[in-house]
Amino acid sequence: MNMNKDIILTGDRTTGQLHLGHYVGSLRSRVQLQNEYKTYILLADIQALTTHYDQPELIADSVHQVTLDYLAVGIDPNKATLFIQSMIPEIAELTVIFSMFITVNNLRHNPTIKNEARDRGYTDLYYGFLGYPVSQAADIAFCKATLVPAGEDQIPHIETARKLVRRFNELYAPVLPEPRILTGERLGGLDGIGKMSKSMGNAISLNARPDDVHAKLTKAKTDPARIHRSDPGNPNICPVFAYHQLFRNENAEEIHANCSQGTIGCRDCKQLAGNAINELLAPFRARRQDYEQREDEVKEILIEGTRQARKVARETMLEVREAMGIRYFNL
Ligand code: TRP
């Protein structure tokens, strides 16, 4: 492994299982990147608290479920370091330091924060929720990550992280690299409204059973103007056609043509999309089942990964303190 190359850090909030949107947005590229780059993957349980602080059991259970999702899609614990955010106190420490160089207004104008606050119906913002991009910057900086594979909604957060490390480096010493984002594809929800998201109830989870996948697609919205089977459809606005493009490229052109000419009905089209998704998910289901039977090993993967991340975090924090002139003594 070439150590001068990028260092990858990415992760997910542990508020439930991951779905196909996570897969095309970021998991798929992580599975590739882990072969070439030092890769850290964090289970963001503290960030999960920002919206689910009243459901700690859900968060802890999701740490386990999301770990299984990662292993199921092909994250290899011998290549990638999987770790739990709350077990790295240095991340919290760096969050406090970074919080000195960013204003409340800057965070308020973050478009992802604004959208989430609107979707959740927040009228006033919790300090931790408003500040989670700062904590995310610390997630990235503690291991000196340079590349963050994540969904496009994370762009403003990575911008904040870049700003914070730049400011740190200017003020004290050039210790922290500026990260870049690598965005994947965006997957629309089954309802044709917005992106696929568990909280919107329009998602297919990665461990959905084959008949669940078909049942969900049966209810999915298609081109609303298409009423009769023989009506020509507009696949370009159909959420189900987007799944054909993403999950079964070879047939997509044919389906596009058939839909446009009204020679394939929505029911058949959905059946084919469901088959394609199930083909993708089949090996994930098998790997998940396999790991489900080896709970101790899964726990060991997290312990080992968290230990490694913690070691790196301690080293970085010594440099951070040194740069700031607050490395008073060793305890
Ligand atoms: N905010 C990310 C999400 O909602 C999760 C996350 C937390 C993250 N820390 C991160 C992503 C650091 C990339 C890098 O999915």
Side-chain angles (χ1 to χ4, degrees):
M1 196 178 291
N2 178 350
M3 284 315 191
N4 294 323
K5 291 202 302 193
D6 278 315
I7 296 177
I8 311 265
L9 176 124
T10 181
D12 294 278
R13 292 154 40 92
T14 55
T15 53
Q17 291 179 342
L18 303 183
H19 54 63
L20 283 174
H22 293 110
Y23 185 69
V24 300
S26 153
L27 294 174
R28 186 157 63 179
S29 67
R30 296 179 198 176
V31 174
Q32 297 302 318
L33 291 164
Q34 68 178 348
N35 295 319
E36 270 200 70
Y37 301 99
K38 175 71 210 159
T39 298
Y40 294 91
I41 303 187
L42 111 158
L43 294 133
D45 61 337
I46 294 284
Q47 196 174 108
L49 280 172
T50 63
T51 49
H52 290 64
Y53 58 86
D54 54 351
Q55 295 176 66
E57 314 76 25
L58 169 81
I59 293 177
D61 180 57
S62 300
V63 167
H64 184 64
Q65 292 302 331
V66 174
T67 303
L68 288 173
D69 286 330
Y70 288 157
L71 296 169
V73 299
I75 297 293
D76 178 346
N78 294 314
K79 293 179 182 158
T81 302
L82 297 177
F83 69 98
I84 303 177
Q85 186 187 25
S86 67
M87 297 296 286
I88 314 289
E90 290 76 10
I91 292 181
E93 198 181 336
L94 191 54
T95 302
V96 173
I97 292 172
F98 279 163
S99 73
M100 309 304 161
F101 334 134
I102 189 156
T103 67
V104 171
N105 271 337
N106 180 298
L107 291 165
R108 272 213 187 105
H109 292 136
N110 176 310
T112 298
I113 291 278
K114 273 198 199 165
N115 290 340
E116 286 176 353
R118 187 202 53 220
D119 292 347
R120 294 177 188 281
Y122 293 167
T123 46
D124 193 3
L125 299 184
Y126 284 101
Y127 175 58
F129 173 80
L130 178 67
Y132 89 68
V134 183
S135 137
Q136 187 156 332
D139 296 338
I140 296 167
F142 93 85
C143 62
K144 303 193 176 173
T146 54
L147 190 62
V148 181
E152 59 180 17
D153 55 334
Q154 302 299 303
I155 293 172
H157 303 338
I158 307 312
E159 237 353 276
T160 298
R162 293 167 65 82
K163 197 176 288 185
L164 288 170
V165 301
R166 230 182 279 135
R167 192 78 185 111
F168 180 96
N169 292 342
E170 266 165 29
L171 283 164
Y172 310 115
V175 169
L176 305 170
E178 275 184 44
R180 328 186 291 292
I181 190 167
L182 176 73
T183 52
E185 314 269 2
R186 173 185 186 282
L187 188 66
L190 295 164
D191 53 3
I193 308 170
K195 64 168 189 172
M196 185 172 278
S197 118
K198 193 173 57 69
S199 59
M200 302 296 281
N202 63 7
I204 296 178
S205 73
L206 289 173
N207 76 338
R209 291 195 321 267
D211 48 341
D212 277 351
V213 170
H214 284 293
K216 292 223 159 173
L217 280 165
T218 303
K219 288 197 218 119
K221 289 277 182 301
T222 54
D223 173 3
R226 200 173 178 206
I227 299 167
H228 305 293
R229 192 183 185 284
S230 56
D231 290 345
N234 180 358
N236 301 332
I237 59 160
C238 175
V240 177
F241 180 67
Y243 300 166
H244 280 288
Q245 280 179 306
L246 283 167
F247 300 114
R248 184 177 273 165
N249 282 322
E250 325 88 82
N251 294 72
E253 263 180 47
E254 193 185 322
I255 292 190
H256 193 281
N258 289 338
C259 172
S260 308
Q261 291 157 19
T263 52
I264 182 173
C266 292
R267 180 130 58 95
D268 293 341
C269 175
K270 286 175 168 182
Q271 183 69 34
L272 292 174
N275 294 346
I277 291 173
N278 279 328
E279 257 169 53
L280 171 78
L281 297 183
F284 302 172
R285 291 188 192 109
R287 233 177 281 141
R288 187 186 191 98
Q289 267 175 10
D290 196 38
Y291 276 111
E292 271 169 354
Q293 273 145 32
R294 296 186 279 148
E295 266 193 31
D296 289 348
E297 202 180 310
V298 174
K299 189 165 181 188
E300 204 42 55
I301 288 169
L302 286 179
I303 295 174
E304 192 41 44
T306 304
R307 201 176 274 142
Q308 275 183 33
R310 181 96 204 264
K311 181 164 175 282
V312 172
R314 285 208 183 97
E315 286 162 10
T316 302
M317 281 316 290
L318 287 179
E319 283 182 73
V320 163
R321 285 179 165 273
E322 184 76 40
M324 297 176 75
I326 57 169
R327 187 173 167 179
Y328 306 109
F329 39 72
N330 292 329
L331 276 183

